[in-house]
Amino acid sequence: MRMLGGQASDPRPSARGRKPRRWRTRGIALLAVGILAALAGVFWYERARSGTPSVELVFPADGAADVFAGTQIQVGFDRPLGAAAERLQMRLTDADGARVNGSVRFNDNLTVVTFTPAAALSSGPFDVRVQLGAREKVWRFTVPAKPPISAGVGGPILVINNGANPFEPFYAEILRAEGLTSFATADSETLSARKLSAHRIAIVTGTVADSGQVAVIRKWLEDGGKLIAMRPTGELAALAGLEPPSSILNEGYLRIDTSNAPGRGLVGETIQFHGEAAITTVTPGTRTIATLYRDAATSADAPAVTIRRVGDAGGEIAAFTFDLAKSVVLTRQGNPDWSGQERDGSDPVRPNDLFFGASRVDPKPDFIDLDKVAIPQADEQMRLLSNLIAHLARDGAPLPRFWYFPRDAKAVLVMAADDHGTASGTQRSFDRMLALSPEGCDVAKWECPRATSWMYVTSGLSDSQAAAYIKQGFDIGSHVSTYCHNWSEYSLDITFADDLRSFRRSYPSLPPQQGSRLHCIAWSDYVSQPRIERAWGIRFDMNYYYWPPTWVRGRAGFMTGSGLPMRFSDANGGLIDVYQQETHLVDEVFASLIKAVAGLFDRALGPEGYYGAFGTHYDFNHEFDAPLMKMALERGIPMVSAQQMLDWTDGRQASTFKTTAWADGVLTFDVKADGRVEKLLRGMLPMQAAGGRLREIRARDKQAVVFATETIKGIEYALFDARSGSYLAIYDGQAHGNAR
């Protein structure tokens, strides 16, 4: 993307002399919708020229086995269909042979047919049959059976939902991001003493108003359970040691007590939270872990996070007086009240407009305090939760988790270029990486620098050249464009359909594209773009772009408060299976501010522990990729493509720990590492547990497992290669017969 006078330019053939895509006439598509044959999935069209068109490409691909239930089906022809409407038939059928109802549209020149099912597809195989005269194309794809994204797989942590909090699904995403992938989920209506007793730690995500449910929780706590309650009210708040609230603080700050666990090692200055917090006081015996502030300097003299013992068996209850999930979502995704607003004075509407306060028509404070932008504020809030969980587990079995990135990396560069039709920009940058790659390096282990290039079909790279780079571990896809116009859901859907199809036609040898950054990063509402991306197979979004320079003023940091790829949350709190990856390092801002970039890296690697996967943008108008590569190599920071980062994030979240026994200071546990991360995954075990200090880790075959020790956010951990298998962790140096 290139900004000229506040407006991004598009070097492709000019859109002048014709209407922007979102305003172009779609009469043909509307006519096609109107002539659906009884909504039975059989469609007839006209074609205007002689000769029978042939199917040139299809989406989803033939044999695709992991197709999204909300996908659309696209068929591309080698020439316009024209007037042969009566002879074209298209049918989508499920595993039982039943036709799938839906709607259809053409592109402008009648070369592409897109079918949108009327409802999400059920799991199972689907057959598509397209027939035009004697020519027929048949292919199959499969929608796998999957639990909801927010569902857990089981483990020592129980997340208790009841539907009262729209953001409750995001707690699953927070736990996964923090490497605590082994958790279970339950509805409060099904809560029982038996279900609670199977878990050591529980998180209540919303209000618990039922006295019977509170009684079950109280008894479990008195028996030694550990509970974290989000914005508790009534009896549960009283159990947590909180008085009834006197007022509400809407938007504010909090400050963590870093002098003791669980706050030790976290950021010591005030950080923002978003949403509402209860202004309350604590009863005797309740300790305040974090305090609310009305602004960055003014204390509200009220707790943000507390902890209190319950009973004599070690039970404890912690409470957040604000909704952590809502705060993290809003910190990452911006102010939903500013959705669709042009606030920074530069068209089109972009993601930064969701954070930009100084609108000329609606002046407000920035949604992100840029004086705090060096701090990953959303991540530090999440780390307060993971530290709290570790603290609650301190008197029992140690709780294992996964490190954020491969090979103990504390910073990662997600290298992503937008090639606006340059003759050789992508080749030069990729070849530079190849020259920097150590001899014999393993791409799968992130040992070789690699990158993504999102290109126009006019970029100077042939299909065979692109395929050769893909084989060497690079990632290439379409740089989808609305020609720098704002979009509607309808026009954006058509844009993705057209541009991805055109790119597949020009580069048939490339695998399906899974990452995207829209040209000019147009972002016309809150979450339509990731929903549309998901329908077209895109699951890694880099549109949240830290810009413009006059606002950023050289302050490298975290516009979204985060250095971690995490799924989008929709306006109602539901998870969208597309990861939001901020583009932290934009060439328009930082090409001449290399020291600021170095500071971002050094805070990730240094005592601050502001870890992150840092997204980049360069479009070959600057040689910004070269100094980034140099600094990364000097600091040992891996450089990866968007596809590699997606595969890592998916694989890490799909990997699990399972504790099978804890007795006499010996933890027996299993690791199930997803195949995408088997060579990369690092496990973390607390060095201290109720059994004493960790002495050794062994594989079940009695072979010693090498581990390193490091203090992460105030907690000392042992870090080891988490390969699939069974393990023993032996604490306190005791000789345990069952460990021999």
Side-chain angles (χ1 to χ4, degrees):
M1 187 180 78
R2 174 59 30 207
M3 303 293 178
L4 299 175
Q7 177 63 51
S9 62
D10 192 330
R12 293 192 287 184
S14 174
R16 296 174 186 170
R18 66 175 187 177
K19 295 180 181 178
R21 287 190 181 194
R22 69 187 180 114
W23 302 118
R24 276 187 261 162
T25 302
R26 298 290 176 184
I28 295 172
L30 295 176
L31 176 62
V33 172
I35 62 172
L36 281 172
L39 291 179
V42 179
F43 311 109
W44 300 85
Y45 307 105
E46 292 189 324
R47 53 186 291 256
R49 51 180 287 183
S50 61
T52 303
S54 298
V55 173
E56 187 175 45
L57 56 87
V58 298
F59 176 86
D62 188 11
D66 192 21
V67 176
F68 174 49
T71 195
Q72 299 180 74
I73 292 85
Q74 188 180 81
V75 184
F77 296 88
D78 62 354
R79 70 189 77 175
L81 288 168
E86 308 86 53
R87 294 191 293 146
L88 178 63
Q89 300 182 53
M90 179 178 177
R91 177 182 295 179
L92 176 67
T93 55
D94 64 18
D96 297 323
R99 294 175 179 175
V100 177
N101 294 335
S103 60
V104 69
R105 68 165 182 261
F106 282 109
N107 67 338
D108 284 350
N109 61 4
L110 298 180
T111 58
V112 180
V113 181
T114 302
F115 174 62
T116 303
L121 299 176
S122 59
S123 61
F126 288 83
D127 292 313
V128 188
R129 182 181 299 272
V130 177
Q131 189 167 0
L132 187 59
R135 294 186 176 179
E136 183 178 67
K137 172 70 175 178
V138 179
W139 78 98
R140 171 173 286 197
F141 63 85
T142 302
V143 176
K146 290 184 176 181
I149 300 172
S150 58
V153 297
I157 302 172
L158 179 65
V159 180
I160 303 170
N161 300 319
N162 63 6
N165 177 4
F167 290 94
E168 66 185 25
F170 205 79
Y171 283 100
E173 193 69 8
I174 290 174
L175 291 175
R176 292 186 185 112
E178 285 298 294
L180 297 163
T181 61
S182 301
F183 61 91
T185 49
D187 191 291
S188 63
E189 291 184 358
T190 66
L191 193 62
S192 65
R194 181 178 179 181
K195 183 172 289 187
L196 268 176
S197 67
H199 301 276
R200 297 176 51 218
I201 297 171
I203 301 172
V204 175
T205 64
T207 301
V208 179
D210 185 276
S211 295
Q213 292 173 354
V214 175
V216 169
I217 292 172
R218 182 191 299 271
K219 179 63 169 62
W220 175 71
L221 286 167
E222 290 172 348
D223 290 341
K226 314 282 188 174
L227 184 74
I228 302 171
M230 298 296 168
R231 290 204 72 188
T233 59
E235 293 180 76
L236 191 59
L239 186 59
L242 300 178
E243 298 284 6
S246 59
S247 61
I248 298 296
L249 176 61
N250 186 25
E251 303 291 306
Y253 292 73
L254 62 92
R255 186 166 191 167
I256 301 167
D257 177 6
T258 59
S259 62
N260 295 289
R264 186 182 295 118
L266 298 172
V267 61
E269 61 182 274
T270 53
I271 58 174
Q272 283 179 285
F273 76 89
H274 289 297
E276 306 79 30
I279 299 294
T280 184
T281 57
V282 299
T283 58
T286 304
R287 178 163 71 96
T288 296
I289 294 171
T291 303
L292 293 174
Y293 275 64
R294 298 186 184 277
D295 55 41
T298 307
S299 174
D301 296 321
V305 186
T306 61
I307 190 169
R308 180 174 181 264
R309 293 186 67 87
V310 179
D312 299 323
E316 292 176 285
I317 180 171
F320 284 68
T321 62
F322 65 99
D323 182 1
L324 174 65
K326 181 177 182 178
S327 178
V328 171
V329 168
L330 297 184
T331 302
R332 291 177 61 93
Q333 293 181 210
N335 188 349
D337 292 338
W338 293 350
S339 174
Q341 296 183 19
E342 174 47 73
R343 300 187 62 86
D344 67 2
S346 175
D347 289 330
V349 176
R350 298 183 175 92
N352 72 284
D353 286 304
L354 294 165
F355 301 88
F356 190 95
S359 167
R360 285 175 289 186
V361 298
D362 178 38
K364 297 284 177 61
D366 288 332
F367 203 64
I368 168 71
D369 183 345
L370 288 175
D371 290 335
K372 306 282 186 180
V373 77
I375 304 167
Q377 297 181 88
D379 294 350
E380 288 292 292
Q381 292 178 49
M382 295 193 302
R383 287 167 188 149
L384 175 56
L385 176 64
S386 57
N387 270 21
L388 179 57
I389 290 171
H391 179 70
L392 292 174
R394 69 194 181 281
D395 57 0
L399 195 63
R401 55 188 287 211
F402 295 115
W403 176 240
Y404 298 106
F405 306 116
R407 299 188 295 137
D408 300 340
K410 297 179 179 178
V412 177
L413 269 185
V414 184
M415 300 290 284
D418 295 348
D419 187 336
H420 300 131
T422 66
S424 59
T426 294
Q427 297 97 308
R428 290 199 315 273
S429 186
F430 284 1
D431 288 347
R432 183 180 292 128
M433 281 192 159
L434 290 172
L436 294 173
S437 298
E439 185 176 355
C441 65
D442 188 340
V443 174
K445 292 182 178 180
W446 289 22
E447 295 172 349
C448 319
R450 291 298 182 261
T452 291
S453 181
W454 289 306
M455 308 189 312
Y456 293 157
V457 295
T458 56
S459 297
L461 200 66
S462 69
D463 178 55
S464 60
Q465 288 174 317
Y469 282 122
I470 291 291
K471 288 181 180 179
Q472 296 177 89
F474 292 93
D475 177 36
I476 298 171
S478 173
H479 189 34
V480 177
S481 177
T482 63
Y483 297 92
C484 298
H485 293 293
N486 292 320
W487 41 258
S488 66
E489 288 187 52
Y490 179 72
S491 69
L492 184 64
D493 185 47
I494 290 175
T495 294
F496 269 97
D498 288 352
D499 283 12
L500 293 178
R501 187 269 311 168
S502 296
F503 196 82
R504 287 195 296 267
R505 185 176 184 180
S506 297
Y507 294 96
S509 300
L510 301 191
Q513 177 175 343
Q514 291 189 287
S516 178
R517 183 166 52 213
L518 198 69
H519 181 52
C520 291
I521 51 173
W523 195 268
S524 300
D525 66 23
Y526 205 57
V527 288
S528 288
Q529 187 157 173
R531 279 200 295 260
I532 290 168
E533 287 173 329
R534 186 66 187 94
W536 293 111
I538 303 296
R539 296 193 50 248
F540 197 82
D541 180 285
M542 292 187 68
N543 281 293
Y544 270 68
Y545 190 91
Y546 186 33
W547 183 89
T550 53
W551 183 54
V552 172
R553 291 193 285 119
R555 292 171 286 192
F558 305 84
M559 182 181 75
T560 66
S562 182
L564 301 175
M566 295 177 69
R567 289 179 177 89
F568 282 95
S569 176
D570 69 22
N572 298 316
L575 293 176
I576 302 171
D577 194 17
V578 175
Y579 293 106
Q580 177 204 35
Q581 166 69 60
E582 182 185 338
T583 297
H584 303 81
L585 297 172
V586 176
D587 55 352
E588 291 102 328
V589 178
F590 292 108
S592 60
L593 298 169
I594 299 303
K595 287 186 178 180
V597 178
L600 182 69
F601 293 165
D602 293 342
R603 289 188 293 273
L605 303 175
E608 298 89 347
Y610 294 162
Y611 320 121
F614 302 118
T616 68
H617 170 273
Y618 44 94
D619 60 9
F620 313 121
N621 284 278
H622 299 284
E623 292 292 313
F624 188 47
D625 57 326
L628 288 177
M629 293 179 199
K630 182 176 184 294
M631 284 190 291
L633 287 174
E634 290 172 346
R635 291 164 172 79
I637 296 174
M639 291 172 275
V640 298
S641 70
Q643 184 65 52
Q644 285 176 290
M645 198 69 222
L646 170 61
D647 289 341
W648 161 257
T649 307
D650 270 345
R652 176 176 176 265
Q653 291 200 1
S655 301
T656 57
F657 284 103
K658 180 181 179 181
T659 298
T660 57
W662 168 247
D664 300 325
V666 177
L667 179 74
T668 306
F669 64 96
D670 296 332
V671 175
K672 184 179 179 182
D674 184 87
R676 289 165 290 189
V677 298
E678 178 81 37
K679 298 179 181 180
L680 302 171
L681 202 61
R682 293 284 276 175
M684 302 168 64
L685 273 171
M687 286 297 297
Q688 293 293 143
R693 185 171 176 83
L694 180 66
R695 176 164 61 89
E696 59 180 311
I697 304 173
R698 297 183 192 172
R700 190 62 63 86
D701 63 4
K702 299 183 181 180
Q703 182 176 352
V705 175
V706 176
F707 64 87
T709 60
E710 186 167 357
T711 299
I712 305 294
K713 294 298 176 181
I715 301 174
E716 189 181 15
Y717 285 101
L719 288 93
F720 62 98
D721 288 337
R723 303 291 178 90
S724 292
S726 299
Y727 296 84
L728 302 174
I730 304 170
Y731 281 79
D732 205 29
Q734 301 172 32
H736 302 279
N738 64 345
R740 297 296 179 187

